[in-house]
Amino acid sequence: MKVTLRTDVLTNNNKAAEFNRELFQNTKTLVMNLMSSPGAGKTTLLEETVRVLAGKYRIAVIEGDLATERDADRIRAMGARAVQINTHGGCHLDARMVAAALGELDLDEIDILFIENVGNLVCPSGYDLGQKHKVAVLSVPEGNDKIPKYPQMFMRTELVLLNKLDLLPYLDFSVEEAKRDLAEINPKSNLLPLSARTQEGMHEWFFWIEGAYLKWLQQ
Ligand SMILES: Nc1nc2c(ncn2[C@@H]2O[C@H](COP(=O)(O)OP(=O)(O)OP(=O)(O)O)[C@@H](O)[C@H]2O)c(=O)[nH]1
Ligand SMILES: [Mg+2]
């Protein structure tokens, strides 16, 4: 019975995700779904992304949190359009929530839309939102065991941003070990070490976004 219920939920979600995907395709909006545990640095990365790329691309952000407008306010303070979704206890965004938030955005006026999922390393990974790319954020203080212990998240993402690299000297995190673990779980995924605080490695992330956008326009 439980299995049937989950299948129904996912079937309904997939229908809504297809609706979103068609809309993104028709309006040529590149959409990325950012996922991580709470506090890994998703909003900080997006603040920096808006600061650096907003002169070149029209960027908007959909923010997912259980409560408050705080993350959307942070993005708005950087000058980009942001819509906040509050899940009121829900541990992930689903495609219908995103579809509802899209009602507040004019996709014809947006080149790149980032969706910051609810901070959670488990639930968000199973829900298609209609995005083109899934990006995971892992941070140095979380430790090396997260990739092997939460494989579902990392086997479904094509890029892992390893944030808070500036804290490496104070912790026992091994970047090489993280790369090995990721290669084992998902050989197609890349690990990008960076720091939203010091900007180290951030140019690689911006380069990746620009490449993804070019490819998206050409397809
Ligand atoms: N040292 C360091 N701190 C960082 C870095 N990036 C973010 N932080 C800090 O980490 C904390 C959490 O950052 P957020 O960007 O709010 O994290 P988040 O993933 O959006 O959190 P949720 O939305 O709650 O899931 C804040 O205090 C940031 O200033 C970084 O590269 N280095
Ligand atoms: Mg956030």
Side-chain angles (χ1 to χ4, degrees):
M1 187 63 191
K2 264 185 192 163
V3 173
T4 312
L5 188 61
R6 171 146 171 91
T7 306
D8 284 350
V9 168
L10 286 179
T11 304
N12 285 334
N13 187 74
N14 287 343
K15 279 183 195 158
E18 277 315 311
F19 172 86
N20 292 347
R21 202 181 325 278
E22 217 174 300
L23 203 56
F24 299 148
Q25 185 70 48
N26 292 341
T27 56
K28 275 285 162 205
T29 312
L30 176 64
V31 181
M32 303 193 195
N33 176 7
L34 257 73
M35 298 172 283
S36 81
S37 51
K42 298 179 294 304
T43 312
T44 313
L45 283 162
L46 290 176
E47 287 173 308
E48 287 305 306
T49 304
V50 168
R51 188 177 64 76
V52 173
L53 293 183
K56 199 162 172 187
Y57 305 97
R58 297 169 298 175
I59 295 176
V61 179
I62 292 177
E63 286 288 352
D65 283 295
L66 273 72
T68 83
E69 287 264 329
R70 286 178 185 219
D71 281 4
D73 284 342
R74 286 170 61 184
I75 299 297
R76 290 175 192 130
M78 301 304 292
R81 184 99 182 79
V83 179
Q84 181 77 53
I85 298 173
N86 283 149
T87 60
H88 306 287
C91 60
H92 63 88
L93 292 179
D94 66 36
R96 284 179 186 212
M97 295 176 194
V98 171
L102 291 176
E104 292 181 48
L105 293 171
D106 181 357
L107 291 181
D108 286 324
E109 299 295 321
I110 296 167
D111 299 319
I112 305 176
L113 172 66
F114 293 97
I115 302 174
E116 180 183 334
N117 221 307
V118 177
N120 187 307
L121 219 41
V122 183
C123 314
S125 73
Y127 286 80
D128 184 8
L129 304 179
Q131 74 287 308
K132 176 70 181 166
H133 298 290
K134 283 183 173 181
V135 176
V137 182
L138 176 70
S139 63
V140 165
E142 291 171 67
N144 268 103
D145 59 355
K146 296 304 171 293
I147 294 175
K149 278 168 67 177
Y150 298 86
Q152 272 72 12
M153 173 60 74
F154 298 100
M155 66 176 57
R156 289 173 174 145
T157 49
E158 62 208 85
L159 180 69
V160 178
L161 304 177
L162 175 63
N163 191 32
K164 309 196 186 182
L165 204 60
D166 51 294
L167 298 179
L168 215 48
Y170 313 104
L171 297 159
D172 59 358
F173 193 95
S174 160
V175 177
E176 284 315 306
E177 188 182 329
K179 281 185 178 169
R180 275 198 306 273
D181 286 338
L182 185 62
E184 214 165 282
I185 282 176
N186 182 356
K188 288 186 184 152
S189 185
N190 282 317
L191 187 93
L192 214 59
L194 45 72
S195 167
R197 174 73 50 87
T198 65
Q199 308 299 311
E200 184 184 357
M202 286 292 281
H203 60 282
E204 297 274 359
W205 163 233
F206 302 141
F207 188 70
W208 190 88
I209 295 170
E210 300 214 59
Y213 187 67
L214 269 182
K215 261 191 223 153
W216 170 247
L217 287 188
Q218 286 161 2
Q219 76 173 19

